[in-house]
Short mmCIF file of all heavy atoms in Angstrom, two decimals:
data_model
loop_
_atom_site.label_atom_id
_atom_site.label_comp_id
_atom_site.label_asym_id
_atom_site.label_seq_id
_atom_site.Cartn_x
_atom_site.Cartn_y
_atom_site.Cartn_z
N MET A 1 5.47 1.76 -5.37
CA MET A 1 4.90 2.01 -6.70
C MET A 1 4.23 0.78 -7.28
O MET A 1 3.18 0.83 -7.94
CB MET A 1 6.04 2.43 -7.66
CG MET A 1 6.62 3.83 -7.33
SD MET A 1 8.20 4.16 -8.19
CE MET A 1 7.59 4.18 -9.88
N LYS A 2 4.81 -0.39 -6.95
CA LYS A 2 4.23 -1.65 -7.44
C LYS A 2 2.83 -1.84 -6.88
O LYS A 2 1.94 -2.40 -7.58
CB LYS A 2 5.15 -2.82 -6.97
CG LYS A 2 4.84 -4.16 -7.61
CD LYS A 2 5.80 -5.21 -7.10
CE LYS A 2 7.22 -4.93 -7.55
NZ LYS A 2 8.14 -6.04 -7.14
N ILE A 3 2.63 -1.39 -5.68
CA ILE A 3 1.27 -1.52 -5.05
C ILE A 3 0.31 -0.45 -5.51
O ILE A 3 -0.76 -0.78 -6.02
CB ILE A 3 1.38 -1.45 -3.50
CG1 ILE A 3 2.29 -2.55 -2.96
CG2 ILE A 3 0.01 -1.57 -2.87
CD1 ILE A 3 2.65 -2.40 -1.50
N PHE A 4 0.72 0.81 -5.38
CA PHE A 4 -0.24 1.90 -5.51
C PHE A 4 -0.36 2.47 -6.93
O PHE A 4 -1.42 3.03 -7.27
CB PHE A 4 0.11 3.01 -4.51
CG PHE A 4 0.06 2.49 -3.10
CD1 PHE A 4 1.22 2.30 -2.36
CD2 PHE A 4 -1.17 2.26 -2.49
CE1 PHE A 4 1.16 1.83 -1.05
CE2 PHE A 4 -1.22 1.79 -1.19
CZ PHE A 4 -0.07 1.57 -0.48
N ASP A 5 0.69 2.33 -7.73
CA ASP A 5 0.55 2.82 -9.11
C ASP A 5 -0.32 1.88 -9.99
O ASP A 5 -0.70 2.27 -11.08
CB ASP A 5 1.95 2.92 -9.77
CG ASP A 5 2.74 4.16 -9.28
OD1 ASP A 5 2.20 4.87 -8.42
OD2 ASP A 5 3.86 4.33 -9.71
N THR A 6 -0.62 0.71 -9.46
CA THR A 6 -1.39 -0.26 -10.23
C THR A 6 -2.84 -0.43 -9.74
O THR A 6 -3.56 -1.26 -10.22
CB THR A 6 -0.70 -1.65 -10.12
OG1 THR A 6 -0.57 -2.05 -8.78
CG2 THR A 6 0.66 -1.62 -10.78
N LEU A 7 -3.21 0.43 -8.78
CA LEU A 7 -4.57 0.25 -8.21
C LEU A 7 -5.67 0.34 -9.26
O LEU A 7 -6.66 -0.41 -9.23
CB LEU A 7 -4.83 1.33 -7.15
CG LEU A 7 -4.07 1.10 -5.79
CD1 LEU A 7 -4.39 2.29 -4.86
CD2 LEU A 7 -4.46 -0.19 -5.15
N ASN A 8 -5.55 1.24 -10.21
CA ASN A 8 -6.61 1.46 -11.20
C ASN A 8 -6.49 0.51 -12.42
O ASN A 8 -7.43 0.43 -13.22
CB ASN A 8 -6.60 2.90 -11.70
CG ASN A 8 -7.11 3.89 -10.64
OD1 ASN A 8 -8.20 3.67 -10.10
ND2 ASN A 8 -6.31 4.87 -10.29
N THR A 9 -5.38 -0.19 -12.52
CA THR A 9 -5.18 -1.06 -13.68
C THR A 9 -5.21 -2.52 -13.32
O THR A 9 -5.34 -3.41 -14.19
CB THR A 9 -3.85 -0.78 -14.36
OG1 THR A 9 -2.78 -0.88 -13.42
CG2 THR A 9 -3.82 0.65 -14.94
N ALA A 10 -5.14 -2.86 -12.02
CA ALA A 10 -5.15 -4.26 -11.59
C ALA A 10 -6.50 -4.88 -11.88
O ALA A 10 -7.57 -4.22 -11.80
CB ALA A 10 -4.83 -4.37 -10.13
N LYS A 11 -6.50 -6.17 -12.19
CA LYS A 11 -7.76 -6.90 -12.41
C LYS A 11 -8.53 -7.03 -11.10
O LYS A 11 -9.76 -7.08 -11.08
CB LYS A 11 -7.49 -8.27 -12.97
CG LYS A 11 -6.93 -8.24 -14.44
CD LYS A 11 -6.66 -9.65 -14.93
CE LYS A 11 -6.10 -9.62 -16.36
NZ LYS A 11 -5.81 -11.00 -16.87
N ALA A 12 -7.82 -7.10 -9.99
CA ALA A 12 -8.47 -7.22 -8.71
C ALA A 12 -9.02 -5.87 -8.27
O ALA A 12 -8.38 -4.81 -8.43
CB ALA A 12 -7.46 -7.70 -7.66
N SER A 13 -10.24 -5.86 -7.72
CA SER A 13 -10.85 -4.62 -7.25
C SER A 13 -10.47 -4.33 -5.81
O SER A 13 -10.63 -3.18 -5.34
CB SER A 13 -12.37 -4.72 -7.37
OG SER A 13 -12.87 -5.86 -6.66
N VAL A 14 -9.91 -5.33 -5.09
CA VAL A 14 -9.53 -5.10 -3.71
C VAL A 14 -8.07 -5.50 -3.53
O VAL A 14 -7.61 -6.52 -4.04
CB VAL A 14 -10.38 -5.96 -2.73
CG1 VAL A 14 -9.94 -5.75 -1.30
CG2 VAL A 14 -11.86 -5.62 -2.89
N THR A 15 -7.28 -4.66 -2.84
CA THR A 15 -5.92 -4.92 -2.53
C THR A 15 -5.76 -5.03 -1.01
O THR A 15 -6.12 -4.13 -0.27
CB THR A 15 -5.00 -3.78 -3.04
OG1 THR A 15 -5.06 -3.70 -4.46
CG2 THR A 15 -3.55 -4.02 -2.61
N VAL A 16 -5.31 -6.19 -0.56
CA VAL A 16 -5.07 -6.41 0.87
C VAL A 16 -3.59 -6.36 1.14
O VAL A 16 -2.78 -7.03 0.43
CB VAL A 16 -5.63 -7.80 1.32
CG1 VAL A 16 -5.25 -8.06 2.79
CG2 VAL A 16 -7.13 -7.85 1.14
N ILE A 17 -3.16 -5.51 2.11
CA ILE A 17 -1.74 -5.35 2.45
C ILE A 17 -1.56 -5.85 3.88
O ILE A 17 -2.10 -5.30 4.82
CB ILE A 17 -1.30 -3.91 2.34
CG1 ILE A 17 -1.56 -3.36 0.93
CG2 ILE A 17 0.22 -3.83 2.67
CD1 ILE A 17 -1.27 -1.84 0.81
N ASP A 18 -0.79 -6.95 3.99
CA ASP A 18 -0.52 -7.53 5.30
C ASP A 18 0.81 -6.91 5.77
O ASP A 18 1.87 -7.22 5.27
CB ASP A 18 -0.39 -9.05 5.16
CG ASP A 18 -0.15 -9.74 6.47
OD1 ASP A 18 -0.52 -9.18 7.52
OD2 ASP A 18 0.38 -10.88 6.48
N VAL A 19 0.67 -5.99 6.75
CA VAL A 19 1.85 -5.25 7.20
C VAL A 19 2.54 -5.99 8.36
O VAL A 19 1.95 -6.32 9.33
CB VAL A 19 1.42 -3.84 7.70
CG1 VAL A 19 2.62 -3.06 8.19
CG2 VAL A 19 0.73 -3.04 6.53
N ARG A 20 3.84 -6.20 8.15
CA ARG A 20 4.59 -6.96 9.16
C ARG A 20 4.66 -6.22 10.49
O ARG A 20 4.53 -4.94 10.54
CB ARG A 20 5.98 -7.31 8.66
CG ARG A 20 6.94 -6.15 8.53
CD ARG A 20 8.33 -6.67 8.21
NE ARG A 20 9.29 -5.60 7.93
CZ ARG A 20 9.87 -4.85 8.81
NH1 ARG A 20 9.59 -4.99 10.09
NH2 ARG A 20 10.72 -3.90 8.41
N ALA A 21 4.95 -6.94 11.55
CA ALA A 21 5.01 -6.37 12.88
C ALA A 21 6.03 -5.26 12.97
O ALA A 21 7.13 -5.37 12.34
CB ALA A 21 5.36 -7.48 13.88
N GLY A 22 5.65 -4.19 13.62
CA GLY A 22 6.59 -3.04 13.83
C GLY A 22 6.56 -2.03 12.71
O GLY A 22 7.23 -1.03 12.81
N LEU A 23 5.75 -2.30 11.67
CA LEU A 23 5.78 -1.42 10.53
C LEU A 23 4.46 -0.64 10.34
O LEU A 23 4.34 0.15 9.41
CB LEU A 23 6.06 -2.27 9.24
CG LEU A 23 6.50 -1.55 8.00
CD1 LEU A 23 7.87 -0.84 8.25
CD2 LEU A 23 6.66 -2.52 6.84
N MET A 24 3.52 -0.89 11.20
CA MET A 24 2.18 -0.30 10.99
C MET A 24 2.23 1.22 10.95
O MET A 24 1.74 1.86 10.00
CB MET A 24 1.24 -0.74 12.10
CG MET A 24 -0.15 -0.18 12.05
SD MET A 24 -1.14 -0.96 10.73
CE MET A 24 -2.77 -0.65 11.36
N SER A 25 2.80 1.83 11.97
CA SER A 25 2.81 3.33 12.02
C SER A 25 3.58 3.93 10.86
O SER A 25 3.17 4.88 10.27
CB SER A 25 3.39 3.79 13.35
OG SER A 25 2.60 3.39 14.42
N SER A 26 4.78 3.34 10.59
CA SER A 26 5.62 3.86 9.49
C SER A 26 4.94 3.66 8.13
O SER A 26 5.07 4.49 7.23
CB SER A 26 7.00 3.25 9.51
OG SER A 26 6.95 1.84 9.40
N ALA A 27 4.19 2.52 7.99
CA ALA A 27 3.50 2.30 6.73
C ALA A 27 2.40 3.33 6.51
O ALA A 27 2.26 3.85 5.40
CB ALA A 27 2.91 0.89 6.71
N LEU A 28 1.67 3.64 7.56
CA LEU A 28 0.62 4.64 7.46
C LEU A 28 1.22 6.04 7.16
O LEU A 28 0.66 6.83 6.42
CB LEU A 28 -0.25 4.66 8.71
CG LEU A 28 -1.09 3.44 8.94
CD1 LEU A 28 -1.76 3.46 10.32
CD2 LEU A 28 -2.16 3.30 7.86
N ALA A 29 2.39 6.30 7.77
CA ALA A 29 3.06 7.56 7.53
C ALA A 29 3.47 7.66 6.04
O ALA A 29 3.39 8.75 5.42
CB ALA A 29 4.28 7.72 8.42
N SER A 30 3.92 6.54 5.49
CA SER A 30 4.29 6.52 4.06
C SER A 30 3.06 6.76 3.19
O SER A 30 3.15 7.52 2.18
CB SER A 30 4.89 5.19 3.72
OG SER A 30 6.12 4.92 4.36
N LEU A 31 1.92 6.19 3.56
CA LEU A 31 0.67 6.45 2.81
C LEU A 31 0.31 7.92 2.84
O LEU A 31 -0.19 8.46 1.87
CB LEU A 31 -0.46 5.57 3.37
CG LEU A 31 -0.28 4.06 3.20
CD1 LEU A 31 -1.54 3.36 3.66
CD2 LEU A 31 0.05 3.68 1.79
N ARG A 32 0.58 8.56 3.98
CA ARG A 32 0.31 9.99 4.08
C ARG A 32 1.25 10.76 3.16
O ARG A 32 0.82 11.67 2.43
CB ARG A 32 0.49 10.47 5.53
CG ARG A 32 0.37 11.96 5.76
CD ARG A 32 1.04 12.34 7.07
NE ARG A 32 2.43 12.02 7.07
CZ ARG A 32 3.17 11.77 8.19
NH1 ARG A 32 2.60 11.89 9.39
NH2 ARG A 32 4.46 11.48 8.12
N ASP A 33 2.52 10.39 3.17
CA ASP A 33 3.57 11.11 2.43
C ASP A 33 3.35 11.02 0.91
O ASP A 33 3.70 11.96 0.19
CB ASP A 33 4.94 10.63 2.79
CG ASP A 33 5.28 10.94 4.25
OD1 ASP A 33 4.59 11.77 4.86
OD2 ASP A 33 6.27 10.33 4.76
N ILE A 34 2.84 9.92 0.44
CA ILE A 34 2.65 9.78 -1.01
C ILE A 34 1.28 10.30 -1.49
O ILE A 34 0.98 10.26 -2.68
CB ILE A 34 2.79 8.31 -1.48
CG1 ILE A 34 1.64 7.42 -0.91
CG2 ILE A 34 4.16 7.77 -1.09
CD1 ILE A 34 1.68 6.03 -1.46
#
């Protein structure tokens, strides 16, 4: 929520997410689920 609920209100126009090793597939699955 801290990342994605603030996309439209953050001063920054670009959000970079550095995904730790072993979490890439599960992170993308989470993005699908939300």
Side-chain angles (χ1 to χ4, degrees):
M1 291 167 66
K2 191 179 296 184
I3 300 170
F4 299 106
D5 284 1
T6 58
L7 286 178
N8 288 307
T9 57
K11 293 180 180 178
S13 55
V14 179
T15 296
V16 175
I17 304 174
D18 183 23
V19 179
R20 70 171 172 80
L23 198 62
M24 179 74 156
S25 297
S26 59
L28 292 173
S30 295
L31 295 186
R32 175 199 60 204
D33 294 345
I34 66 174

